[in-house]
Amino acid sequence: MKNINSFLQAFLIVISLFLVISIIFNFLTQKEVKTQILTLKEFKEIIENQSSAIEKIVVFPQKINVFTKEKIFELPKDQNSSFYDLISLLNIEKEKFSSIPTDFREPQNISLILNIILNLLPFVILFWILWSLSKQTQKGSMQIFSFGKSGIKVYNPNDPNKITFKDVANLQEAKEELMEVVDFLKNPEKFLNIGAKIPRGVLLVGPPGSGKTYLARATAAEAGVPFFYISGSEFVELFVGIGASRVRDAFAIAKKNQPCILFIDEIDAIGKLRGVGLIGSHEEREQTLNQILVEMDGFEKETKVVVLAATNRPDVLDPALLRPGRFDRKIVLDLPDIKAREEILKIHLRDKKVGKINLKEVALRTPGFSGADLANLCNEAAILAARRNKEFIEQKELLEAIDKVILGPERKTKVFSKKEKEVAAYHEAGHAIVAHYLPHSNRVEKISIISRGRAGGYTLKVPKEERNFYFKKEFLDEIASTLGGYAAEKLIFSDVSTGPHNDLEIATELAKQVVTRFGMSEKLGPISLTRQQKEFFLTSDYSEKTAELIDEEVKSIINQALERANKVLELKIDKLHKVAKVLIKKEVIERKQFERLVEDKKGSLNI
Ligand code: ADP
Ligand code: MG
Ligand code: ZN
């Protein structure tokens, strides 16, 4: 749809410009119509009888122009006869025009050129408009002017700002795997001579922001070869066949510039399982995907192009893409753990001015952050420091930037009523108290009722340590503390606000995972009951009866968790009041102060 609209738009712009230009052109040519062509007799008459009205005479090789105030007269003349010949031929007395300024020019050529220019101008302008439109459209979504062009981007390996492996924190295994690609691109003959099988396609898999694009670029820089970038989503076009021709173009460019890396970002946009999806769009995608397969299969043994591709949805990829000779290597990039987060922070603070900072603490408080989030955090901290006219980024800015990255900017404009603030304070205090007193929930790191984005406040909890597996009781305590806000509101105000609806979603989702994914429910037993979502269709591997059982189990987990949260809050209602009151006054409580306020040790209630 968008394509058609923009096409229409472009069409209208061109048409209206055409109109404007033709009006201008008409106006210009009309001036010439006003000039009156003279016969020799008329010419003689004018010179002899109206000489006082004549402002000047301009003599061109092929015409003579006589300018009066109102009009321009023109007398065509033979190129070979001179003006004075003509005068004497016509018997005009010299005195008659001796007072008239007379100009002799050779501008026939100039006016000819002018004429040509004027004639060509509309076309030049038209061409220019089309050209700039097509340039614009390559950036935007409208690609109507770039049929068959891949719109491929290239990064120069000699760019002084290039990133190499040393700019990539952590991801040690991935780097080692990619080192093989680097070795090959640096010294292909060595591999070819010995007959080694060369990596053709490498698939980078990882959640958004985990550094797939970043690492791919670093690989090219490391090998010192050009990096050709193209995104799968750009291939998906309205018109069938365009994607395929762009793939052909991209591969042709890469092959011409070998050795090089061709990077296909978001390959899942094209490489989706064939045969599923919207009618119409899948035909185009299928052709595009087929073209990629054809191109990769058609690589000669000595082609020095390595194709890297990235996706965060490996589950939807067509298996044909993963066959030998295609993307037969897979590198998984995980979200960074606490140590890796510290390293990434270090890298992104390298070229910024920092004062006294403690990156361990920042890393501790950012579980679940991707590399992109961390890079963003560093930038936000720098902006904060600059706004405060500081010379250095300090810990304060870094910690505040965490909130900003998680929840969006502070809502300064929206003022909360006293009541709203009170509700928010008890809500967050409820989360914190429940989390603190239950033994297996995460530790409270910070509580805030400064409203950001859509959230009225938040309680930051972090795990004691990051592990690869978790126990059921940990999930149950986590669900209980997630419901702590809701429980506190009910307990104190005998009512609930719309505030906790997000909490309820999170708690329910967690409970569902406990039952269906981790098989931790007693009633259903240790089986995986995940529903796979493929495009629009939910395919379930279980009966409606099982679905009912799942619902029951989820409900019972939620209810039990809520009961436990209630119990904690009832028992420790004095602490709830204490924390909430401080929150209302100070808006933010850090871990140390919180622990002082509640006095009791973490996990001291075993409910
Ligand atoms: P993806 O392509 O996986 O969505 P990107 O490669 O675009 O993610 O990463 C986004 C940004 O995150 C990068 O530009 C980089 O600044 C930062 N980043 C991600 N991973 C790392 C890492 N391991 N070391 C340093 N920076 C990283
Ligand atoms: Mg990316
Ligand atoms: Zn909440």
Side-chain angles (χ1 to χ4, degrees):
M1 259 346 254
K2 207 167 176 186
N3 272 338
I4 289 174
N5 272 339
S6 349
F7 186 74
L8 256 175
Q9 233 174 21
F11 199 69
L12 284 178
I13 291 173
V14 168
I15 292 280
S16 49
L17 265 158
F18 231 143
L19 281 177
V20 171
I21 287 166
S22 66
I23 287 169
I24 293 173
F25 203 62
N26 257 336
F27 179 74
L28 285 174
T29 45
Q30 240 163 36
K31 236 184 163 175
E32 248 160 62
V33 172
K34 263 192 199 153
T35 65
Q36 191 183 328
I37 308 286
L38 300 172
T39 61
L40 283 172
K41 208 174 140 229
E42 285 165 340
F43 178 73
K44 181 175 154 81
E45 252 173 44
I46 284 175
I47 305 256
E48 284 184 342
N49 303 328
Q50 299 180 33
S51 67
S52 56
I54 295 172
E55 288 181 327
K56 65 172 177 178
I57 295 176
V58 181
V59 182
F60 299 97
Q62 286 179 326
K63 66 177 183 188
I64 299 164
N65 277 358
V66 181
F67 292 83
T68 67
K69 270 213 177 69
E70 295 90 34
K71 258 187 174 165
I72 305 168
F73 299 100
E74 181 178 322
L75 177 71
K77 125 183 183 324
D78 182 47
Q79 211 167 348
N80 300 321
S81 56
S82 81
F83 175 65
Y84 294 107
D85 288 347
L86 197 76
I87 295 292
S88 58
L89 190 80
L90 289 173
N91 257 328
I92 300 173
E93 293 164 41
K94 277 209 173 135
E95 296 79 59
K96 286 283 180 199
F97 65 86
S98 57
S99 59
I100 306 170
T102 310
D103 242 5
F104 291 87
R105 285 196 206 157
E106 292 281 303
Q108 193 67 4
N109 294 332
I110 294 180
S111 84
L112 199 83
I113 290 169
L114 204 76
N115 234 317
I116 291 172
I117 290 176
L118 275 178
N119 272 310
L120 281 181
L121 197 65
F123 295 100
V124 171
I125 291 176
L126 197 77
F127 189 77
W128 175 73
I129 290 164
L130 285 178
W131 180 75
S132 61
L133 264 177
S134 79
K135 254 188 73 168
Q136 215 174 37
T137 54
Q138 274 174 13
K139 278 186 244 142
S141 60
M142 184 174 74
Q143 268 116 9
I144 47 167
F145 294 113
S146 50
F147 281 19
K149 284 265 173 67
S150 59
I152 198 163
K153 283 189 260 270
V154 63
Y155 291 81
N156 185 340
N158 303 318
D159 185 345
N161 295 321
K162 68 183 176 187
I163 42 164
T164 58
F165 278 172
K166 71 175 189 332
D167 303 302
V168 181
N170 190 39
L171 302 178
Q172 214 45 52
E173 286 159 48
K175 280 195 257 182
E176 264 161 41
E177 284 235 25
L178 287 169
M179 234 12 238
E180 223 172 289
V181 172
V182 172
D183 277 345
F184 166 67
L185 288 171
K186 262 186 172 163
N187 204 345
E189 269 66 37
K190 190 174 81 185
F191 287 77
L192 292 170
N193 286 345
I194 211 164
K197 203 172 144 271
I198 280 105
R200 267 285 155 251
V202 181
L203 186 65
L204 300 170
V205 178
S210 56
K212 301 180 291 294
T213 312
Y214 193 68
L215 188 60
R217 266 178 64 192
T219 309
E222 200 70 31
V225 299
F227 179 71
F228 291 97
Y229 173 98
I230 192 147
S231 174
S233 56
E234 288 167 19
F235 278 128
V236 185
E237 291 273 353
L238 190 65
F239 305 103
V240 173
I242 295 168
S245 87
R246 300 177 90 203
V247 167
R248 222 174 296 130
D249 186 51
F251 274 83
I253 291 174
K255 271 192 252 177
K256 220 181 280 164
N257 290 286
Q258 55 179 295
C260 71
I261 284 180
L262 174 61
F263 181 61
I264 307 176
D265 211 352
E266 300 173 50
I267 196 170
D268 45 295
I270 6 172
K272 273 197 194 133
L273 227 52
R274 281 176 286 190
V276 288
L278 286 166
I279 300 150
S281 87
H282 86 247
E283 193 182 340
E284 160 67 353
R285 237 179 23 211
E286 197 160 307
Q287 280 201 18
T288 310
L289 175 60
N290 281 340
Q291 193 60 40
I292 291 182
L293 300 180
V294 165
E295 294 287 348
M296 290 193 76
D297 291 346
F299 272 165
E300 308 279 328
K301 221 169 84 195
E302 55 277 0
T303 309
K304 292 155 204 142
V305 178
V306 177
V307 186
L308 301 186
T311 179
N312 47 21
R313 297 287 314 274
D315 51 317
V316 300
L317 281 188
D318 195 307
L321 268 174
L322 310 174
R323 283 208 205 108
R326 298 167 181 174
F327 296 99
D328 47 4
R329 300 206 186 180
K330 197 162 97 181
I331 297 181
V332 179
L333 308 186
D334 284 319
L335 285 182
D337 63 7
I338 183 163
K339 230 184 114 250
R341 288 200 298 272
E342 194 181 335
E343 272 178 59
I344 294 176
L345 286 166
K346 233 180 245 159
I347 281 183
H348 288 284
L349 289 171
R350 235 173 10 190
D351 52 356
K352 298 186 170 62
K353 287 191 183 139
V354 292
K356 212 172 150 260
I357 53 172
N358 175 359
L359 289 183
K360 273 213 168 58
E361 190 189 9
V362 180
L364 181 84
R365 285 185 179 205
T366 45
F369 270 45
S370 67
D373 292 332
L374 292 167
N376 189 7
L377 186 161
C378 294
N379 193 41
E380 289 293 345
I383 290 172
L384 269 176
R387 267 213 234 132
R388 291 175 180 157
N389 297 320
K390 283 190 171 180
E391 295 208 17
F392 306 102
I393 301 169
E394 285 176 299
Q395 190 70 358
K396 193 162 168 263
E397 278 78 37
L398 285 172
L399 295 183
E400 271 187 58
I402 298 177
D403 298 356
K404 198 161 172 191
V405 173
I406 298 179
L407 301 158
E410 259 178 53
R411 265 200 312 214
K412 284 247 166 64
T413 45
K414 189 151 186 248
V415 183
F416 276 82
S417 69
K418 212 176 141 223
K419 172 82 179 178
E420 278 175 315
K421 206 168 168 184
E422 212 176 295
V423 172
Y426 274 98
H427 179 102
E428 297 308 329
H431 283 305
I433 295 284
V434 176
H436 183 76
Y437 281 102
L438 293 181
H440 306 293
S441 54
N442 291 338
R443 188 176 78 187
V444 175
E445 196 63 36
K446 178 177 176 176
I447 320 167
S448 160
I449 57 163
I450 296 174
S451 129
R452 279 171 189 282
R454 276 169 54 224
Y458 78 108
T459 302
L460 180 66
K461 294 170 290 179
V462 300
K464 261 202 300 287
E465 64 207 321
E466 279 168 46
R467 280 174 279 136
N468 293 320
F469 51 87
Y470 294 90
F471 294 102
K472 184 180 175 186
K473 51 190 179 189
E474 290 169 323
F475 281 116
L476 298 184
D477 282 9
E478 205 47 48
I479 294 169
S481 69
T482 305
L483 293 171
Y486 172 91
E489 282 189 40
K490 227 168 171 191
L491 182 67
I492 304 295
F493 305 102
S494 325
D495 197 2
V496 281
S497 69
T498 52
H501 79 267
N502 193 32
D503 293 342
L504 302 185
E505 271 165 36
I506 293 171
T508 312
E509 186 52 40
L510 257 176
K512 238 185 225 159
Q513 299 234 345
V514 166
V515 177
T516 60
R517 189 156 158 226
F518 304 123
M520 290 171 171
S521 142
E522 308 266 314
K523 267 200 203 135
L524 285 148
I527 47 170
S528 169
L529 296 163
T530 47
R531 281 186 173 193
Q532 275 186 335
Q533 187 153 14
K534 284 188 186 136
E535 304 271 314
F536 294 127
F537 312 106
L538 276 175
T539 55
S540 61
D541 314 329
Y542 49 87
S543 64
E544 281 311 303
K545 210 168 149 213
T546 314
E548 258 169 52
L549 257 178
I550 292 174
D551 283 346
E552 265 171 44
E553 274 294 90
V554 169
K555 227 181 264 167
S556 116
I557 289 178
I558 295 280
N559 284 340
Q560 276 174 34
L562 188 58
E563 232 166 79
R564 290 172 69 219
N566 281 332
K567 232 184 215 161
V568 172
L569 292 176
E570 275 162 23
L571 281 170
K572 297 291 171 187
I573 194 163
D574 53 326
K575 302 286 162 68
L576 179 67
H577 283 303
K578 212 168 155 189
V579 173
K581 295 245 157 71
V582 175
L583 260 182
I584 291 169
K585 219 160 65 203
K586 296 218 165 152
E587 298 196 334
V588 180
I589 298 178
E590 295 281 345
R591 175 165 66 99
K592 285 208 181 96
Q593 190 187 6
F594 175 72
E595 283 172 356
R596 251 182 278 128
L597 279 172
V598 291
E599 293 162 79
D600 305 315
K601 274 222 167 67
K602 159 114 183 89
S604 54
L605 281 182
N606 208 345
I607 293 172

